[in-house]
Amino acid sequence: MKYVIATHNKGKLVEFQRLLEPMGIEAVTMDIAEPEETGKTFAENAFIKAEAACKKTGLPAVADDSGLCVDYLDGAPGIYSARFAEPGKRRLTVLEKLKGVPEEQRGAHFVSAVCCVFPNGDKIEAEGKCFGKIAFESRGENGFGYDSIFQQGDVTFGELTAEEKDARSHRGRAFAEFEKKLRAYLEGKA
Ligand code: ITT
């Protein structure tokens, strides 16, 4: 069965495709209007996006709502990660807000809430987190969004290969849980 990927973020799309492919899912993209993300949690927003895409296309739809939560900023930008500052200035804004903040106070984590909504109204939800810290400067060209300022050990996510990122990222973890739940769901239907 085809599943539609409900995202307008090109970086996420690449990750969705490589995480869904090994599950044997035929993931397609379609031009679907972006719904307003009015939820108060990552999970609520993921559901809003998946439900809108499912209703529009009549196909099961997979969405993710994700973001970076910085301890020193009381969890910001969090669910507002995509709207935190002007496009192109988001990483710099985080770095500026943490200027002079010592390493031990630079803790941060990424969250990914995945939701799949089926045309019959069923839904599967999964969530993944990964913990690290905000680097002192942007490093690495890989990935997207805040990857080049999010550091685990000595390397930023921007310095990881795709496989390395998937093995430890919030989205990799969320999709691993999603895969288990999807298998159980589909077996129950068989
Ligand atoms: P869709 O809603 O269309 O999927 P979006 O970019 O608006 O795209 P979100 O509302 O979930 O998605 O915002 C998440 C933001 O958090 C995203 O724009 C990135 O800036 C950041 N982000 C999420 N996952 C990330 C990752 O794996 N690496 C770096 N930044 C990430």
Side-chain angles (χ1 to χ4, degrees):
M1 192 195 282
K2 278 188 188 151
Y3 288 67
V4 65
I5 300 179
T7 182
H8 291 81
N9 180 316
K10 290 199 179 86
K12 272 194 200 181
L13 177 63
V14 170
E15 295 194 2
F16 270 53
Q17 283 168 327
R18 69 177 189 244
L19 288 163
L20 289 170
E21 197 194 358
M23 297 181 207
I25 284 182
E26 190 189 342
V28 297
T29 56
M30 287 183 191
D31 193 13
I32 307 158
E34 252 179 292
E36 215 187 323
E37 294 179 27
T38 51
K40 291 196 171 53
T41 62
F42 290 108
E44 282 174 20
N45 281 334
F47 174 70
I48 288 170
K49 291 186 252 188
E51 190 191 38
C54 178
K55 281 198 170 142
K56 186 87 189 160
T57 62
L59 293 173
V62 187
D64 136 306
D65 197 65
S66 46
L68 177 69
C69 305
V70 180
D71 299 347
Y72 188 78
L73 303 177
D74 296 325
I79 61 167
Y80 304 107
S81 292
R83 298 163 264 172
F84 181 54
E86 279 173 53
K89 293 211 173 138
R90 292 178 193 135
R91 285 185 298 263
L92 204 60
T93 304
V94 173
L95 289 177
E96 273 170 8
K97 284 185 185 286
L98 266 68
K99 208 169 180 178
V101 174
E103 187 166 355
E104 61 275 14
Q105 289 175 42
R106 300 178 76 91
H109 62 278
F110 273 125
V111 181
S112 162
V114 170
C115 183
C116 177
V117 173
F118 294 87
N120 66 1
D122 288 350
K123 68 172 174 176
I124 296 175
E125 291 175 304
E127 188 168 289
K129 289 184 185 172
C130 64
F131 291 82
K133 61 191 174 196
I134 301 301
F136 286 100
E137 74 288 304
S138 178
R139 291 198 319 273
E141 301 297 321
N142 299 335
F144 67 98
Y146 298 95
D147 278 342
S148 63
I149 62 164
F150 182 80
Q151 186 168 331
Q152 274 186 343
D154 290 333
V155 289
T156 70
F157 272 16
E159 295 173 309
L160 298 179
T161 63
E163 294 71 27
E164 286 168 340
K165 183 178 171 187
D166 291 347
R168 60 176 82 176
S169 80
H170 49 311
R171 192 163 294 102
R173 291 178 174 182
F175 272 91
E177 186 192 334
F178 171 68
E179 181 173 16
K180 282 191 202 142
K181 289 184 171 177
L182 179 67
R183 279 190 199 292
Y185 173 78
L186 294 176
E187 274 165 23
K189 293 255 152 211

